[in-house]
Amino acid sequence: MKRLLNVEEAQARILALAAPLAPENTPFVEALDRYLSQDITALRDQPAAALSAMDGYAIRFEDLPGPWSITGEVAAGTMPTRTLSAGEAMRIFTGAMLPGGADTVVVQEDVAAAGAALVLTGDGPAARGKHVRARAGDFAAGARLLAAGTRLTPGAIAAAIMAGAPAAPVRRRPRVAILATGDELVPPGHPLGVGQIPDSNGAMLAAMLQDEAAEVSLPLHARDDRAVIGDVLRELSRHHDIIVTIGGASVGDHDHIQDAIADAGGSVDFWKVAMRPGKPLIAGTIGTAALLGLPGNPASAFVTATLFLLPLVRHLAGARAPLPLIRQAPLAAPLAAGGERRDYLRASLDASGLTPLASQDSGQTVPLAQANALVIREARAPARAPGERADYIAIA
């Protein structure tokens, strides 16, 4: 019997199906969750000059404890009008440039002003440079702030803008088509005939991709007909970077995905992975489009999408680290010994630790709704006791 690929081998081969997409520039207000196509290097110092961090008075530290003569004021966005001499202070506001000669700010709560005279009433600053944001204290011109492949979070967007970048250099969003197959499937909300079920997988996968850097076509449906599926796959490959099929990935009389891929001019790179749920996974290409054939059971579709589809989308979008992050937490309940394949068990994670859910039936959706983690149990792993640490992937 041919050895099944392990998960890591399958992930590597899937990511090798296609290269990251072409770079483009996009406005920062549209760049959330996109991936940088190049490093962000600072074009300026931030701050560009020493600034006050508080409302108060700019002084020379050696002039403490005062008194001082007030010589003017400076607000954010304006230039100081003069350099401070010994015994002088200048009214200053948060974000304003320190005047020449000043090296410290005394906060307004620690002083009292009477006309042009200023006296200390509190403790005053304890060290030179107190309440001052030093020039280049955030970053200096020429510093690499964000590496290519970084996901643009709100904070990363702020840093890139402050660095002087005029727009976000990112990679094009992958275009993803979701195709559910099966005569038993009915769109959500439609009346059900005998033996039919609502198509939950299409909307589930679309929801999983909602926070990714992807353009997702509305979930499509094709009946269990090889010629129909082949025609649909051929057309989808002309306009999409990734095609995801759901169902029909096994070897039953109504499982047509592998044959339909060939009919559409594509090829299968591999079939089946040593994991549970999700063993009958198909990976291949049609033209320039990568194709993933996911199993039809909801838990199988969810787990394989987590391990393979999301990483592929992130890879094409330019992610430096596209694979799911594996964490550890203590078990809050016993974990039975593993079988012949690696398991990804739906589990709940709370302050007490990880609790695998009672039902691991891949056809059930309620355990998916209750789970916020996938516990990883290796093949033939020994039983584990509560308190022992286990690997998991966060899913909510």
Side-chain angles (χ1 to χ4, degrees):
M1 180 180 297
K2 184 177 180 181
R3 182 183 70 86
L4 299 184
L5 294 179
N6 64 39
V7 169
E8 290 76 19
E9 291 170 328
Q11 287 171 327
R13 288 175 66 160
I14 286 172
L15 296 187
L17 293 175
L21 298 173
E24 63 182 18
N25 290 325
T26 195
F28 280 110
V29 293
E30 300 173 6
L32 183 64
D33 292 329
R34 303 286 292 274
Y35 293 92
L36 288 173
S37 60
Q38 63 187 53
D39 295 347
I40 293 292
T41 300
L43 303 178
R44 54 184 295 276
D45 293 344
Q46 174 57 29
L51 304 179
S52 177
M54 301 287 286
D55 291 342
Y57 293 84
I59 63 170
R60 305 189 323 162
F61 184 73
E62 60 264 33
D63 288 342
L64 280 166
W68 300 269
S69 174
I70 302 172
T71 62
E73 71 173 38
V74 58
T78 65
M79 289 285 292
T81 56
R82 55 169 294 168
T83 297
L84 291 188
S85 299
E88 292 182 334
M90 186 175 290
R91 183 75 166 108
I92 196 166
F93 299 93
T94 303
M97 294 174 58
L98 254 67
D103 57 16
T104 303
V105 171
V106 57
V107 296
Q108 60 190 20
E109 294 85 355
D110 282 350
V111 291
L118 182 73
V119 296
L120 189 68
T121 58
D123 293 334
R128 190 184 304 275
K130 188 70 173 176
H131 306 308
V132 174
R133 294 176 178 144
R135 177 172 180 168
D138 192 1
F139 54 78
R144 188 181 76 158
L145 304 186
L146 301 168
T150 296
R151 188 171 187 156
L152 284 171
T153 62
I157 289 172
I161 292 172
M162 199 64 76
V170 295
R171 294 194 180 273
R172 180 172 66 76
R173 295 178 186 270
R175 295 185 289 262
V176 182
I178 300 172
L179 176 65
T181 65
D183 293 339
E184 76 280 12
L185 298 179
V186 175
H190 287 228
L192 299 177
V194 175
Q196 292 185 316
I197 59 172
D199 175 19
S200 63
N201 285 335
M204 177 181 72
L205 293 189
M208 293 176 74
L209 291 168
Q210 190 167 21
D211 291 335
E212 299 295 330
E215 296 177 3
V216 182
S217 299
L218 292 174
L220 307 171
H221 177 260
R223 67 179 189 271
D224 283 326
D225 183 294
R226 173 176 169 175
V228 169
I229 296 172
D231 289 342
V232 172
L233 292 179
R234 186 181 299 107
E235 182 61 24
L236 291 176
S237 71
R238 297 186 179 120
H239 308 288
H240 295 85
D241 305 296
I242 301 172
I243 302 169
V244 187
T245 64
I246 314 168
S250 193
V251 291
D253 291 343
H254 300 282
D255 294 322
H256 301 301
I257 295 300
Q258 292 201 59
D259 291 333
I261 292 171
D263 294 345
S267 62
V268 173
D269 183 79
F270 70 83
W271 175 50
K272 293 185 179 181
V273 182
M275 60 179 288
R276 185 173 54 187
K279 175 184 174 183
L281 175 79
I282 299 171
T285 56
I286 302 177
T288 60
L291 181 140
L292 290 183
L294 309 186
N297 281 324
S300 301
F302 182 92
V303 171
T304 51
T306 298
L307 295 174
F308 305 111
L309 173 58
L310 298 187
L312 179 60
V313 169
R314 294 166 188 160
H315 169 64
L316 266 63
R320 187 173 69 252
L323 298 180
L325 179 64
I326 297 176
R327 301 175 167 92
Q328 278 200 338
L331 290 166
L335 184 63
E340 294 303 308
R341 286 177 274 156
R342 182 187 293 175
D343 289 306
Y344 290 85
L345 306 171
R346 276 74 72 210
S348 64
L349 173 64
D350 57 24
S352 63
L354 291 160
T355 303
L357 300 180
S359 175
Q360 296 293 327
D361 188 325
S362 63
Q364 295 183 357
T365 54
V366 171
L368 275 179
Q370 295 172 335
N372 60 2
L374 295 175
V375 170
I376 303 170
R377 181 174 60 190
E378 296 296 338
R380 297 176 292 279
R384 311 282 294 280
E388 293 187 59
R389 298 184 69 80
D391 290 341
Y392 75 96
I393 296 170
I395 59 172

